[in-house]
Each structure stands twice: as C-alpha cells, then as structure tokens.
Amino acid sequence: MFTRVLVANRGEIAVRVIRALDELGIESVAVYSEADREAQHVQRATHAYLLGPGPAAESYLNVDKLLEVIEESGAEAVHPGYGFLAENAAFARRLEEAGVTFIGPPASAIEAMGSKTKARELMQDAGVPIVPGTTDPVESLEDAERIAEDIGYPVAVKAAGGGGGKGFRVALEPDKLKDAFEGAAREGEKFFSDATVYLERYLPDPRHVEVQVLADGHGNVVHLGERDCSIQRRHQKLIEESPAPLVDAELRARIGEIAVEAARAVDYRGAGTIEGLLSDEGEYFFLEMNTRVQVEHCVTEEVTGVDIVREQILVAAGEPLSFGQDDIRWHGHAIECRINAEDAARNFAPAPGTVTHYREPSGPGVRVDSGVLSGSEITPLYDPMVAKLIVWDADRERATRRMARALKEFEIEGVRTLIPFHKAIMASEQWAKGETCRDLIEDKEWLKTLAAPKPEPAAEEAEVVARDYVVEVSGKRFQVTVHGEAAASNGAAPKAAPKKRERKGSSGGGGGGDTLASPMQGNVFKVLVEPGAQVEAGALICIIEAMKMENEITAHKAGTIAELPISEGAAVKSGDTLAVIKDA
C-alpha cells in the first residue's frame, strides 16, 4: 500500500480524495495555485506545495512542475481527480516513466477512449451499439455538409477529444452547420489541443444514462448500475440521480453488460463510466467513456454502499476488487444537485465572488461534498462549482422531498448559486414525471422568474464622532476615546434616514439604451464584429470565457456598432461596456 499520494487537483474532488486517503492511513500531498492559497484542500492535506500562478496552464496543468513536486514530496502515486490531467495519456505515461503510480487506467486505455472517433470505432468493432454517425474525423466543412445530408438533420458536431460538454455543438438546420463545426473545432483545440471533430445523429430529447464500472488488474470487471444525467445546460450536467427513472432490471442488466464489454475491450483498470443515450423506444447507444472518476459518482456510492474513490486507490495499489457482480445490491434512490456559482435567471451566467457566509444542510440521508468555506473565493479561473448536495431516501419521491428540504437549509451568501433553480426543478411537474426538464431549462422567461429579489434600500448610516473621556477602574484613571453616533439637538440619537440611491452613469456599461454591457467577469475569447458593422438584434457580438465556459454575447438591439472597446484576450468585469450600438 502507498504511504504518500499526491492529489493533482483542487476543489471538492481534492477534498474527497484526501478524505479517502485519511481513512486508508495514507499521507496526502496537496498542490495549489496562488489563487488557491487558502483553499480547503490545502488546509486539509498532510503536505501542500505551491505550483504557480492562478491560470491552470501555469499551475494545475504544468506537468513539469507537478513532476518536480512529486519528486520533492516523495509521493509514490498520483490521484488526478476529474478534469485537468485526469484523462491525459501523456501525463500518465510520464508518471510511469518516473516510477510513480497513476491512480487511473493505463495510458493505452486513456488514448483509446480519449479520442471519441477511435472509441466509437472500437465499440462498433466490439459489437457495442453506437449513435449513427462517423467513426472517422471530419476534415472540412464541405465534408461535414455532405455527411450531414446522409445522417439527416439535426446533427451533433463533437470534438474528438471532447468531454464534459466541451466541444459539443448542434446544427438543427443546414445553415447552422458552419457555426457548429467551427465552434466545436475551436473548443476542441482550446480545451483538448485537438481541433478534430466528428458528426453523429442528434437525438433531440434522449435520456442521458451512464453506467459506472470498476476493473482491477486481475481481470475482474463489474458495473455498479446506472445514473441518469439528463438535466443539463449547454450539454453540461446539473442534476444526477440513481437509479435512472426509466430503467428497469432487464434494461439495467443489458446496459451493464454493454459497459463491462466496453471496459474489457480496452483492458481497463480503475473507475470509469460508459456514457450513453437512451431513446424513448428503449434503444441504448454508446456515447463515450470517461476514463476517470465522475463528478456524479456520489449517487452511485449512496445506492450501492461502494466507496468508489477508495476502490480506485486499492486497485492502483495492486489489490483485487473485494466483491463480484453478484455481490452488488441497489438500495433506495439518490439525487445530486450541483451547487454552481451561476445565475440561472441570466441564462446560467457565471457568478464568481467571495463566499461571505456558508452553512451546509444536515440530517438523515444528506451529504455535501464541497471545497469551500466561509471566506472562500470562487474565482473565474476555474469551474463554477461551490458544492455538490447529495441526498438518499427509500424511493424517488421521498428523495425529492429530502432534497427540497436540504436545499432550503443550504445557506450561501456572497455569490449567486443554482440553489433557486434546483428548488424550482424539484417542485416541478416535469421532475415528478421523470422528464428531462429541457423545456424549462431552455425557457428564458421561466429562468427569469428565479431571479433574486431586489434588496431593500439600506438605511443611511448615522454620523460617527469621537469623544474623549477619563474613567477610573480599581482606583486607577484611564483616558479613553469612544466612537459613536452623533447626538441630535435634543441629546437623543437621531433616527436613520432612508439612504439615497446613488446615480450611476452609463460609462459602466449598464444595461439598456445603446450600451451592451458584459453580464459576467471573464476574458474576451473572440470578437465577431468590427466598428461600423450593421447588426441585427440577437447577432453574435463576442464570446466571453468565464469559469471554463464559452458564453456567447449577442446584440440587444439592431443598429450600427458605434463603439467596440474590447479586444481578444482582454479581461472584462461584469457591467463593462462591450459595445455601443446606435440606431441605424
């Protein structure tokens, strides 16, 4: 068994791994960026090392620096969590060359499943059903247009190295294919250093059902049942549950067998997830394999009693799985809500900031996986997750009521979160019926109803004055200064008058009029217009990257671009002017 393990991640997953290491009696080594100096995972670990500046490319993705820390700390193994380097075959191979254990699958399995086109081809050859589409990369827009006609619209354009909703665009009609093709390729290059894309049939409203697998180095592969992750925004998950509402025992056995065969096909080892799409007709198609622990692994742990992270570590240490497929039992129902720093009322705009107050819910069947505390900074440099709220109860209806109760108890101040959104979903008829809730999530007017109420005008602060007094304590005199409210003319403290609202000029980029203001803090990734251009309402003006998401900013009115005070790569704050659009 290992004596010291480095956790190459941050946030809640780093804390989750450190807890597992603590229970196994293994020392933990945390790494952090300058932006994460006070982070909870740094405080909890046995040892902690600074990697570099805030941007991930200079810290958490800096392989050379990580290898230096591994050597300096004496870590024998590395747990990558999810994201960052978790599915980076080159990193796994560098660790192997250095004699350090990668707590994950072999580099060959990461490579086989990391390329979505290779994975589709491999699964097709293994007899695993795949969504109709291409197994070869699509080299050009012209090729994409021809293939899309054969597949039929709508089509999904996906980055070959994509995952986590990145590099996924949909063309509902032929005239939308160019934007989808270029957008998917751009995100693929940016997030995965691979602009290769492929096409597949887009299923408009399928269930997103995935299967958790575990495999050891002794030929044992088991599945732990399925999770339903259909409630998503921008193809990124918001709510997960297990078991899936529409999966019965027969279907569970069938898709579980598909998952096990997929894992065996690449000689898998460790924890992994086979993602798939389930049609209304009961057709199940392989979508991709995530060669890591998933954000939503918690709901599977709750219904099976298996500690997936602990099993990862034990398998990496060479131990066989301590149970077989026939030993797995599923009990009750679990739901996970991702508590992200986002404003659902503004179409899930990122909402970074400082957590000024934080109090987690508790009670029977309630679990919170979090990486923050009161005072933690939710920075736009990383993903927007604040915490994961997981509940378990005997069935889906009871688990829903428990989640509603826990959401009501969760107190987070200082940043906007998705708590109001989750409360509304849990109370909706669509959720009760086990639907995907896509109609709600895509309804901007419904989302606006989740906006936080405007705060009451604050009372004007009374004037504070200083007065000097001489006091005597135990026979000794002291001179003290007391700061307090100025007295009124009759000697009484004056009542506070209503505070006057300050007038704000338009230079800050406030909404309305000709000014298009930034709805978020982030960096300008791309500018799509030029000064003097004529635009229609809804035309794409720029793309702002914030919290690992690309956010398309569109014109609020038709007219001429009179001012464009932004440039690609520049930082912007919420409220900054992006463009001034004058009436044509």
Side-chain angles (χ1 to χ4, degrees):
M1 180 54 66
F2 309 118
T3 58
R4 188 173 297 173
V5 171
L6 182 140
V7 184
N9 218 298
R10 64 179 299 279
E12 68 86 16
I13 188 58
V15 174
R16 170 72 181 89
V17 175
I18 290 169
R19 284 175 171 153
L21 294 171
D22 286 347
E23 292 175 9
L24 288 167
I26 301 171
E27 292 185 7
S28 55
V29 180
V31 290
Y32 61 96
S33 70
E34 292 175 356
D36 278 340
R37 286 184 186 278
E38 305 302 321
Q40 187 184 169
H41 76 282
V42 178
Q43 299 176 32
R44 289 190 62 94
T46 314
H47 312 277
Y49 291 80
L50 175 66
L51 287 175
E58 301 175 52
S59 51
Y60 296 106
L61 292 174
N62 188 335
V63 173
D64 290 335
K65 182 60 179 178
L66 277 166
L67 289 169
E68 289 179 13
V69 171
I70 291 167
E71 183 177 2
E72 184 178 351
S73 67
E76 302 154 286
V78 172
H79 195 302
Y82 55 73
F84 292 135
L85 297 168
E87 296 180 280
N88 189 304
F91 178 57
R93 195 165 279 113
R94 289 280 298 273
L95 291 178
E96 183 181 347
E97 293 169 355
V100 177
T101 301
F102 180 70
I103 300 179
S108 57
I110 298 175
E111 287 177 332
M113 289 301 189
S115 169
K116 308 311 175 187
T117 52
K118 290 181 182 178
R120 282 169 57 81
E121 184 175 5
L122 187 64
M123 292 301 103
Q124 189 176 53
D125 291 343
V128 176
I130 64 173
V131 178
T134 63
T135 55
D136 295 321
V138 179
E139 301 293 344
S140 66
L141 177 60
E142 292 71 23
D143 290 339
E145 291 171 340
R146 175 178 50 78
I147 294 167
E149 289 298 329
D150 292 337
I151 296 174
Y153 286 90
V155 297
V157 185
K158 295 185 173 183
K166 306 292 192 304
F168 185 125
R169 299 296 177 97
V170 176
L172 299 177
E173 301 169 347
D175 63 348
K176 302 295 184 183
L177 183 60
K178 182 176 184 291
D179 288 344
F181 185 87
E182 293 177 351
R186 182 175 66 246
E187 285 193 349
E189 174 63 36
K190 176 183 173 185
F191 291 108
F192 310 104
S193 301
D194 183 0
T196 305
V197 301
Y198 66 98
L199 270 62
E200 64 182 27
R201 182 202 299 167
Y202 178 67
L203 305 178
D205 196 28
R207 310 292 310 187
H208 186 117
V209 177
E210 61 189 32
V211 182
Q212 177 73 62
V213 296
L214 280 172
D216 61 25
H218 303 270
N220 303 305
V221 184
V222 302
H223 74 85
L224 303 181
E226 82 290 344
R227 300 183 284 257
D228 190 300
C229 311
S230 300
I231 298 184
Q232 306 181 8
R233 56 98 178 87
R234 304 177 194 172
H235 308 293
Q236 293 180 310
K237 302 163 188 173
L238 295 172
I239 301 174
E240 301 94 0
E241 58 182 317
S242 182
L246 302 185
V247 174
D248 57 20
E250 181 181 354
L251 181 56
R252 178 173 301 113
R254 179 159 63 86
I255 64 178
E257 184 178 348
I258 289 172
V260 169
E261 289 305 310
R264 289 191 187 281
V266 292
D267 192 25
Y268 200 76
R269 186 174 66 244
T273 300
I274 304 297
E275 301 205 20
L277 298 178
L278 179 64
S279 72
D280 291 337
E281 294 75 30
E283 291 181 289
Y284 187 78
F285 300 106
F286 169 84
L287 187 62
E288 63 185 28
M289 183 175 190
N290 293 132
T291 55
R292 52 173 166 80
V293 67
Q294 298 250 125
V295 177
E296 59 274 18
H297 72 279
C298 314
V299 291
T300 299
E301 292 183 329
E302 294 302 309
V303 296
T304 63
V306 174
D307 185 330
I308 294 173
V309 175
R310 182 176 185 273
E311 291 299 321
Q312 278 188 294
I313 298 167
L314 294 175
V315 165
E319 298 190 19
L321 292 174
S322 58
F323 50 84
Q325 190 64 61
D326 293 340
D327 300 315
I328 304 299
R329 296 288 185 273
W330 293 271
H331 304 280
H333 198 94
I335 303 170
E336 174 180 290
C337 288
R338 300 191 187 192
I339 311 300
N340 293 342
E342 298 177 35
D343 190 348
R346 294 196 298 149
N347 199 28
F348 300 96
T354 301
V355 178
T356 57
H357 170 72
Y358 182 80
R359 183 178 182 183
E360 296 176 349
S362 58
V366 176
R367 165 181 171 181
V368 180
D369 281 19
S370 174
V372 307
L373 302 165
S374 290
S376 293
E377 182 76 16
I378 309 301
T379 168
L381 291 170
Y382 313 118
D383 70 63
M385 183 174 290
V386 176
K388 300 184 309 193
L389 175 58
I390 308 104
V391 303
W392 178 94
D393 211 325
D395 56 38
R396 189 174 190 268
E397 183 179 350
R398 293 181 184 181
T400 297
R401 290 200 295 266
R402 179 160 283 171
M403 177 60 79
R405 186 266 294 174
L407 286 165
K408 187 177 180 180
E409 288 183 9
F410 214 148
E411 298 176 12
I412 304 176
E413 297 175 8
V415 295
R416 296 263 191 247
T417 73
L418 292 184
I419 288 178
F421 166 82
H422 290 305
K423 287 179 178 177
I425 290 292
M426 290 296 117
S428 71
E429 182 180 356
Q430 289 91 330
W431 171 265
K433 292 180 177 179
E435 297 177 2
T436 62
C437 299
R438 283 192 178 89
D439 58 331
L440 294 178
I441 295 172
E442 295 173 1
D443 185 345
K444 293 186 178 180
E445 292 306 312
W446 180 79
L447 291 174
K448 288 178 182 177
T449 67
L450 306 177
K454 293 183 178 180
E456 294 292 327
E460 185 173 358
E461 294 181 2
E463 180 186 359
V464 176
V465 297
R467 290 186 176 89
D468 294 324
Y469 297 92
V470 175
V471 297
E472 186 174 297
V473 179
S474 299
K476 189 173 183 179
R477 291 166 60 87
F478 300 89
Q479 185 169 340
V480 298
T481 301
V482 177
H483 298 266
E485 293 183 11
S489 58
N490 62 359
K495 293 183 178 180
K499 188 174 182 179
K500 296 180 181 179
R501 291 188 176 183
E502 297 180 3
R503 295 176 59 89
K504 293 184 178 180
S506 60
S507 60
D514 297 336
T515 300
L516 174 64
S518 176
M520 67 195 69
Q521 178 181 351
N523 291 288
V524 179
F525 179 66
K526 194 172 184 64
V527 180
L528 283 306
V529 295
E530 296 180 352
Q534 300 290 318
V535 296
E536 297 296 324
L540 187 59
I541 302 299
C542 65
I543 299 172
I544 294 178
E545 182 194 354
M547 293 178 147
K548 296 175 67 177
M549 290 187 289
E550 287 190 7
N551 302 272
E552 296 183 346
I553 310 300
T554 58
H556 63 297
K557 58 179 285 188
T560 303
I561 303 293
E563 298 178 28
L564 193 68
I566 56 174
S567 59
E568 293 181 2
V572 292
K573 298 189 297 293
S574 179
D576 283 357
T577 299
L578 301 177
V580 175
I581 303 176
K582 299 287 188 181
D583 294 332

